Amino acid sequence: MSTLSSKYDVAIIGAGHNGLISACYLSKAGLSVLVLEQNAELGGATRSTKAFSGIDARLSVYSYLVSLLPQKIVDELGLDIELLPRRTASYTPTLEDGNLRGLLLGNDGMEANLEAFANLTGSESDYRGYMELQTMQERLASVLWPSMTEPLVSRDEMRDRLNDDGKRAWQSIVEEPLGQVIESRISSDLIRGLVFTDGKIGVSTYPHDPTLLQNRCFLYHVIGRGNGEWLVPKGGMGTLVDELVRVAQGTGKVTFATGATIHSVHPEEKISSLAFDIDGKESQVDARFILCNASRLELDRMTGATLNTAPIDEGAGFKINMLLEKLPRLRSNRYSSSEAFAGTFHVNEGYEQMQTSYDMSLKGEMPPIPPGEIYCHTLTDPSILSPELNARGFHTLTLFGLDMPYHLFLEDNEKARGLALQRYLSGINQYLEEPIEECLASDADGKPCIEAMSAVDLEEKIHLPKGNIFHGDLTWPFAESEEEVGKWGVETEHPNLFLCGSSAKRGGAVSGIPGHNAAKKVLQESMDGS
């Protein structure tokens, strides 16, 4: 850690990717920046690490794919990162009379996708409905995506940017419960589930939820980059962190301080201050602006604000990281394991299955067959493994589970985590010729290379409130009140204290958008005050 100054132009709390993006923009504009990080490493949920003892494999242990990171940010900051397309979009298996059938969709083969739908359903109607939904998403993305790095506009103005076909898509995806448009276009339960998963990743919701949480979650998963494609960061998610640190350090204007515990933040109109300690040594610095990449709940604690008594939205995700000596064989010869695992492998994500699992989790019961989705980084990018592991045919697998809300793990996290892990593995194994446990590599201590994390673990490890990957309720990507119009969605009640992480409007996911927007707000205020 560099020697700290007593005063900075900007102090940033949290060195996740959003905080780092803010630091890059502000330092490139000539401002002095202090970045304070509670953990020993920079990167937050976007860091990569060697998760298994003695094994040369750098896994993206928390977040793993990129869609919402605008190319504009990559270009403006000069980030040297490569985002790789996956040859398979998704594989969705089902068992019928004990036989494995499935739908494999490619990212570049319309004829093959049409044939896959027809083979599964016996007709082309669901393919047409699926493609209609894709077109609707693209129409919305054409106006929503460019607006994400601009000041907020009103709901009416955003809608008025659409043509008549776009307005019809808006009605179905923004105004009405998502279940209505899915059920009107698609008849297959399996394909309905395939579509709806984007509406429930990380949150507890269902197709006809009147709060429209499912619609907001869906939008964030389908508008990224204008086409909704999720890409693989070459070298793992940590390459993004490394590049942001490189750019920030290259300005000579950024100081990083890790192991920093913030005790209090004192926002004032002209100069604010932060009190913190590093390795037991108490420090205080002043700053013209303070940006918070931590949750709004943490910010309230640090400022001494009266804590909001409204309930925090629980996270509902469950994470499993695995290193395999080989990919398991499928119980079918139609598709190979390398085809199926190269995209998003949907596990028990039928439409009715997910309604059942949601209902059970809401009542405090862990679903016996929980839904989830698997992804293999190394089939697209083997560079996260050593040459030796690649030569031996090793692969990583990551599972992100649904309908595993925080409250299921509160009483006995270790026991509940173990039970959830076994249920997910059993759910996967029903589609495999050999149990996935038999394919796991062993670490230097002879232990299986597998780790699981519940929402409680995510709260403890990377400070997500109740394990919510979005820090709380997802917002619409436009102003929801007259007061918000023209703002950046990062403002707080304090004039020089802004949110730069997932708690900001249009926050959540690996986007960098709130980091960009908070920096723009600071630069705007700096110019207005000069």
Side-chain angles (χ1 to χ4, degrees), residues 196-502:
F196 186 64
T197 55
D198 283 329
K200 58 183 281 111
I201 294 173
V203 297
S204 288
T205 188
Y206 62 102
H208 294 278
D209 187 343
T211 70
L212 303 188
L213 172 60
Q214 73 279 32
N215 296 54
R216 284 171 273 149
C217 186
F218 183 79
L219 278 175
Y220 278 88
H221 284 92
V222 302
I223 66 171
R225 308 181 73 83
N227 61 9
E229 184 179 3
W230 288 77
L231 302 174
V232 178
K234 186 175 181 179
M237 198 62 77
T239 57
L240 173 60
V241 175
D242 293 343
E243 270 300 290
L244 290 168
V245 171
R246 179 189 67 81
V247 170
Q249 289 179 331
T251 66
K253 304 287 288 184
V254 180
T255 300
F256 292 106
T258 56
T261 301
I262 312 292
H263 296 303
S264 60
V265 173
H266 305 281
E268 300 291 344
E269 186 174 344
K270 295 295 182 182
I271 298 294
S272 300
S273 63
L274 303 91
F276 56 95
D277 68 52
I278 299 176
D279 298 328
K281 181 180 177 181
E282 295 186 3
S283 300
Q284 179 172 311
V285 298
D286 294 334
R288 176 73 176 87
F289 299 97
I290 296 176
L291 304 186
C292 182
N293 193 23
S295 69
R296 181 60 205 244
L297 184 71
E298 273 297 291
L299 182 59
D300 286 345
R301 178 192 65 77
M302 290 183 285
T303 59
T306 301
L307 295 181
N308 193 333
T309 56
I312 300 170
D313 295 299
E314 292 185 306
F318 191 88
K319 188 78 185 292
I320 304 174
N321 293 311
M322 292 174 270
L323 180 66
L324 309 181
E325 291 184 339
K326 61 177 181 177
L327 288 175
R329 299 188 307 275
L330 299 180
R331 289 178 53 189
S332 168
N333 295 323
R334 182 171 181 84
Y335 300 114
S336 68
S337 295
S338 61
E339 288 177 301
F341 285 107
T344 301
F345 188 123
H346 295 277
V347 179
N348 300 317
E349 291 188 327
Y351 198 63
E352 291 301 325
Q353 278 181 300
M354 288 192 291
Q355 182 68 56
T356 299
S357 64
Y358 167 78
D359 290 339
M360 293 189 70
S361 67
L362 204 64
K363 294 187 293 185
E365 302 173 22
M366 184 179 292
I369 308 176
E373 38 202 59
I374 310 170
Y375 143 78
C376 177
H377 185 112
T378 46
L379 283 170
T380 301
D381 167 34
S383 70
I384 64 171
L385 301 181
S386 69
E388 179 191 357
L389 295 182
N390 275 311
R392 292 168 62 185
F394 279 45
H395 283 287
T396 63
L397 282 187
T398 294
L399 179 142
F400 195 93
L402 311 181
D403 291 330
M404 285 287 170
Y406 181 86
H407 68 261
L408 294 181
F409 300 88
L410 266 180
E411 184 174 338
D412 189 335
N413 183 43
E414 185 172 355
K415 180 179 178 181
R417 185 202 308 121
L419 179 59
L421 174 61
Q422 288 307 312
R423 290 184 176 181
Y424 277 114
L425 295 181
S426 296
I428 299 167
N429 285 340
Q430 64 183 319
Y431 304 116
L432 304 179
E433 193 65 40
E434 53 194 328
I436 199 165
E437 292 92 331
E438 294 182 4
C439 300
L440 290 171
S442 298
D443 68 12
D445 301 317
K447 297 177 182 178
C449 290
I450 184 168
E451 66 171 3
M453 290 175 281
S454 69
V456 168
D457 294 312
L458 293 176
E459 182 178 58
E460 292 177 354
K461 291 174 182 288
I462 51 174
H463 322 297
L464 300 179
K466 289 196 174 180
N468 191 313
I469 60 175
F470 304 113
H471 283 193
D473 191 16
L474 277 166
T475 62
W476 292 110
F478 45 77
E480 297 175 67
S481 68
E482 189 78 23
E483 183 185 34
E484 290 178 344
V485 173
K487 294 185 176 180
W488 286 95
V490 301
E491 294 82 357
T492 71
E493 63 273 25
H494 304 288
N496 300 318
L497 175 56
F498 308 120
L499 299 166
C500 70
S502 293

Side-chain angles (χ1 to χ4, degrees), residues 37-58:
E37 169 57 42
Q38 182 173 346
N39 292 317
E41 298 178 28
L42 305 175
T46 48
R47 65 180 182 264
S48 295
T49 189
K50 293 183 179 179
F52 305 114
S53 174
I55 302 295
D56 194 2
R58 289 183 57 81

Side-chain angles (χ1 to χ4, degrees), residues 96-118:
E96 295 181 5
D97 299 322
N99 298 314
L100 179 64
R101 301 186 67 206
L103 178 70
L104 187 136
L105 300 179
N107 275 318
D108 56 1
M110 290 184 61
E111 286 190 16
N113 289 347
L114 172 58
E115 182 182 355
F117 268 86

